[in-house]
Amino acid sequence: MNFHTRDFLKASATLLAFSALAGFISPSQRVKAANNVRVVTKIYSSAKPEQSTWASVKKYRHDIPVQFLGINDLHGGLERTGNATFGNTKYENAGGAVRLASYLDSAQASFKKMAKNGKTFRVESGDMVGASPSNSALLQDESTMHVLKAMEFKLGTLGNHEFDEGLGEFHRIVVGGKPTKKYNSAEMNYPHQKSGLEIVISNVVDRKTGKAPFNFKPYVIQTVKGKNGQKVKVGFIGILTNTMPTLTTYQNYHPYKYLDEATAIAKYDRILRKKGVKAIVVLAHTGVASTVDSNTNQATTTGPSVDILQKLYKLDPKNSVDLYLAAHSHQYANAKVGHTVLLQSIYSGEAYEDAIGYLNPKTHDFAKNSLVGHVFPVMSSQQDPTIKDNSKVAAIVKDADERTSLIVNQKIGEAATAQSLTGRDKNNQYDENETGDLVTDSQLAAGKEAGQKQGLTVDFAMTNGGGVRAGLAVKPDKSITWGAAQDVQPFGNILDIVSMTGQQIYDVLNQQYKNYGAGHHTYLLVSGLKYDFTSNDDKTQPYKVTKIYTNDGKGLDLNKSYNVVINEFLKGGGDFFNQFKEAKQVGTAGVDTDVFVKYIEDQTKAGKPITAPKLDRKNFVGKAQ
């Protein structure tokens, strides 16, 4: 469903505080709390594998070289690009499936040149689909599965977005089954083919049977062959964040139970070791929080993935988890927790993970200190013309564009200027962006219209920041297309009208600032109201909402009931906004994607071309007394 952590923007800004740093910052931060293993955060300045330092091939000449190329949170981003920041270097327009494929091929070729008899695994850590741009979403993300197959990804795990339309639908596109219901003509005519992707998941079980759904395996074992008939087995364990009830709708998450991540890893780590498998990789859809203190020049890696690994070491100090490929929080991560290398490669193909090590045929584990992890950017052809576009993937993307073009390119409205509206990648310091405010404006308008028909007065609208997936693109001729609107609101969530007291509204807005920065920072976008907030002397809630008022400046009555438009995801307590679960539903207001499209159409027809809203709905007023 919706992505539920703060984008890497804040972390990127702090990373930029490093000035004139070259090479590996070693170590930029070390943490050794009581009963916890040490965490060492790393930042490399190299942009390509051939510029990087790996363990010596000569030193490990009797061992078997192995490479792991990983990605996370692709989200159907066949052509989507963004800014990837590594230390003090920014890579603009990074990403896109075509460039990603080329960089993976280049990284593998570089490895083969270094270690001629090496083995490469291409793996993914979830959210390959869902919250996707039109050329993937309109094809039920099957175009993305075609791309993954072309890029030779063989192993992956589940992310929360694999549940967006029910896990059964995701399984269908993995195995290449025919659609179970009628979609648009482009999807119905699209080739349905097996992806060749094996899903590994250890902590998701069917609520009724207690077994993994769709015969997914909790782990798989792969054999790596070396010279002279040598063989070493590598185990892969998959896990998904157990916060799933906050990440998708009830009907999508409720059929399954989500077990404790560290306990599941420990269980299957022991099973694998009993089978003689001591080289173990975890594909984990769990987040990290990476920051740099500009005052001390120290980097830190925290968040759920670190917590899970710390717990694993307490459950089993002798665990053999060597590599942990994280996801979900859309941030850069390169750290070591105990002996475990922890990596995450941002978002939407903007970067990729490249871990290389050597397997010892005698110990059946990685040779000591041989596993080195990097995260590299996927640069645009302008920044790196030496890497040529992957023609096979380019053909798949072009075909997807052509199949969906009639729908995507349909003009639905106009903007006042040819300037695109900002999205969540360009939030202001208060977590507000132009497209997000426009989305809530559209939902409030739909709520008022629906309310009139249902005998309701609708006052406000709120939506979760992660549900607004992109900025609203405006063409040079000021036109806005259906595809641009769908890219902003791709989920098709039902909009509910709920009754909330003024006190409940205060409470839910304050929930934004609880556990702020703890690896799952979330926020709300609002329409029809504004609020003041201030700093708060509480580590668990560093900010506090002090005043909420309507657009005409009238303060909310704590005891009065107001009608608010929210999506069904929030109504179920999504993004940790549990207060919404207490709200009483009194009506409905349509589907978010349709509502946004209609709003752009209606505004244009009324002679009101779309303009960027002023970002003044959240006002910081200083420190609380």
Side-chain angles (χ1 to χ4, degrees):
M1 189 48 55
N2 307 319
F3 174 64
H4 330 340
T5 189
R6 182 168 194 159
D7 291 34
F8 71 97
L9 183 63
K10 183 178 179 181
S12 297
T14 53
L15 285 170
L16 284 170
F18 279 96
S19 59
L21 291 179
F24 167 43
I25 303 172
S26 173
S28 56
Q29 189 267 349
R30 297 177 186 269
V31 176
K32 191 173 183 181
N35 301 317
N36 280 349
V37 297
R38 188 176 65 176
V39 180
V40 180
T41 298
K42 305 176 181 181
I43 297 177
Y44 294 89
S45 64
S46 52
K48 292 184 177 182
E50 54 267 30
Q51 301 168 352
S52 304
T53 301
W54 306 101
S56 169
V57 176
K58 184 177 181 180
K59 180 178 179 180
Y60 298 101
R61 62 186 179 278
H62 299 300
D63 301 315
I64 306 173
V66 62
Q67 178 187 44
F68 303 91
L69 295 175
I71 60 172
N72 57 271
D73 299 281
L74 182 61
H75 290 291
L78 302 184
E79 295 175 289
R80 183 166 49 199
T81 61
N83 294 330
T85 303
F86 294 73
N88 62 338
T89 304
K90 179 185 288 188
Y91 301 94
E92 296 183 349
N93 299 316
V98 174
R99 299 294 292 176
L100 174 62
S102 298
Y103 272 95
L104 292 173
D105 289 345
S106 179
Q108 186 166 339
S110 177
F111 169 65
K112 291 293 185 184
K113 185 177 180 180
M114 178 178 71
K116 293 182 173 57
N117 62 326
K119 168 70 175 178
T120 296
F121 292 99
R122 296 193 180 192
V123 297
E124 54 90 358
S125 296
D127 275 8
M128 294 298 99
V129 302
S132 307
S134 305
N135 57 359
S136 185
L138 285 173
L139 299 173
Q140 289 299 106
D141 285 312
E142 291 197 72
S143 50
T144 292
M145 303 310 292
H146 285 209
V147 162
L148 291 175
K149 183 176 183 178
M151 289 193 284
E152 300 182 350
F153 280 91
K154 303 294 186 183
L155 289 172
T157 195
L158 297 175
N160 51 288
H161 282 274
E162 272 73 32
F163 291 73
D164 277 1
E165 296 190 43
L167 192 55
E169 173 63 4
F170 173 68
H171 178 256
R172 177 190 74 80
I173 67 173
V174 169
V175 301
K178 294 182 179 180
T180 57
K181 57 182 171 180
K182 189 171 183 179
Y183 298 102
N184 61 76
S185 59
E187 161 60 10
M188 300 309 290
N189 294 323
Y190 196 70
H192 313 297
Q193 64 181 29
K194 292 182 180 180
S195 68
L197 185 67
E198 184 172 6
I199 300 299
V200 187
I201 188 69
S202 66
N203 71 324
V204 178
V205 296
D206 187 279
R207 188 174 293 275
K208 294 180 180 179
T209 67
K211 297 180 180 180
F214 302 103
N215 293 316
F216 295 148
K217 305 301 182 196
Y219 65 87
V220 297
I221 300 172
Q222 300 285 322
T223 300
V224 180
K225 298 179 180 179
K227 296 180 294 185
N228 305 319
Q230 298 169 318
K231 296 180 181 179
V232 177
K233 295 179 179 180
V234 179
F236 294 84
I237 302 170
I239 62 167
L240 170 64
T241 173
N242 67 3
T243 62
M244 279 298 292
T246 71
L247 300 176
T248 188
T249 60
Y250 179 87
Q251 64 179 7
N252 289 338
Y253 78 74
H254 189 260
Y256 312 103
K257 290 183 179 180
Y258 308 90
L259 309 178
D260 180 77
E261 305 99 333
T263 303
I265 296 171
K267 173 183 176 179
Y268 292 106
D269 174 80
R270 292 189 185 102
I271 290 174
L272 286 167
R273 279 156 42 200
K274 287 181 180 179
K275 292 178 177 286
V277 182
K278 299 179 182 178
I280 298 176
V281 178
V282 175
L283 307 178
H285 200 77
T286 61
V288 296
S290 299
T291 58
V292 172
D293 187 326
S294 58
N295 294 319
T296 63
N297 278 355
Q298 288 189 325
T300 61
T301 302
T302 57
S305 293
V306 173
D307 296 341
I308 289 166
L309 284 170
Q310 295 284 14
K311 184 174 180 178
L312 171 65
Y313 275 85
K314 291 177 183 178
L315 291 171
D316 186 1
K318 296 182 179 180
N319 77 81
S320 194
V321 173
D322 301 285
L323 180 61
Y324 189 107
L325 300 180
H328 190 49
S329 59
H330 298 194
Q331 292 193 26
Y332 167 96
N334 192 341
K336 207 166 186 180
V337 182
H339 64 255
T340 306
V341 175
L342 168 63
L343 304 174
Q344 186 180 189
S345 54
I346 311 181
Y347 163 72
S348 197
E350 294 174 1
Y352 65 95
E353 301 141 354
D354 188 356
I356 292 176
Y358 297 85
L359 299 170
N360 187 320
K362 294 181 180 180
T363 65
H364 296 278
D365 203 347
F366 283 95
K368 188 175 181 181
N369 298 322
S370 74
L371 183 61
V372 178
H374 287 272
V375 179
F376 295 116
V378 173
M379 291 181 277
S380 68
S381 58
Q382 287 73 31
Q383 283 201 307
D384 183 14
T386 66
I387 297 290
K388 304 303 179 183
D389 288 357
N390 184 291
S391 59
K392 187 175 182 179
V393 172
I396 297 171
V397 174
K398 181 181 179 182
D399 176 64
D401 286 341
E402 291 175 348
R403 289 175 183 269
T404 58
S405 61
L406 288 178
I407 303 172
V408 169
N409 294 329
Q410 179 184 351
K411 180 180 176 180
I412 61 171
E414 291 186 356
T417 70
Q419 184 72 36
S420 295
L421 276 64
T422 61
R424 63 182 191 161
D425 61 333
K426 294 183 179 179
N427 275 350
N428 69 6
Q429 66 268 43
Y430 305 141
D431 287 328
E432 197 174 354
N433 63 74
E434 293 167 350
T435 301
D437 283 0
L438 187 70
V439 164
T440 54
D441 287 347
S442 74
Q443 293 178 357
L444 180 56
K448 287 181 178 294
E449 183 177 341
Q452 288 181 347
K453 298 176 182 178
Q454 299 169 47
L456 301 168
T457 298
V458 175
D459 304 288
F460 313 123
M462 300 185 195
T463 197
N464 53 307
V468 181
R469 300 304 297 187
L472 180 64
V474 177
K475 288 182 173 292
D477 64 356
K478 303 180 185 179
S479 65
I480 301 171
T481 65
W482 184 94
Q486 192 274 343
D487 289 351
V488 170
Q489 285 273 269
F491 296 109
N493 279 325
I494 294 171
L495 296 175
D496 296 327
I497 301 172
V498 297
S499 177
M500 301 179 72
T501 65
Q503 183 62 61
Q504 286 178 315
I505 293 173
Y506 266 93
D507 291 342
V508 78
L509 289 176
N510 271 309
Q511 281 185 331
Q512 297 175 99
Y513 304 114
K514 292 182 179 178
N515 299 316
Y516 192 88
H520 52 242
H521 172 72
T522 57
Y523 59 94
L524 293 170
L525 299 158
V526 301
S527 180
L529 62 80
K530 299 179 181 181
Y531 69 84
D532 296 339
F533 71 108
T534 187
S535 55
N536 191 36
D537 291 328
D538 184 343
K539 291 182 179 179
T540 65
Q541 185 181 335
Y543 302 100
K544 181 180 180 180
V545 175
T546 57
K547 183 181 179 181
I548 305 174
Y549 40 95
T550 59
N551 288 342
D552 59 6
K554 186 177 180 180
L556 261 64
D557 183 336
L558 297 182
N559 299 311
K560 181 181 176 180
S561 291
Y562 300 88
N563 289 326
V564 185
V565 179
I566 60 174
N567 61 45
E568 60 180 320
F569 170 71
L570 285 177
K571 181 64 178 70
D575 270 1
F576 302 94
F577 290 108
N578 296 324
Q579 187 64 54
F580 283 124
K581 295 172 74 172
E582 306 301 320
K584 180 182 178 182
Q585 183 173 342
V586 295
T588 59
V591 175
D592 57 7
T593 310
D594 299 339
V595 160
F596 190 51
V597 169
K598 184 176 183 297
Y599 183 75
I600 295 171
E601 291 175 333
D602 289 348
Q603 291 292 103
T604 303
K605 290 176 181 177
K608 301 176 182 178
I610 298 300
T611 58
K614 184 179 179 181
L615 303 184
D616 62 353
R617 302 177 191 188
K618 303 179 182 183
N619 180 35
F620 184 73
V621 294
K623 187 175 179 62
Q625 300 298 319

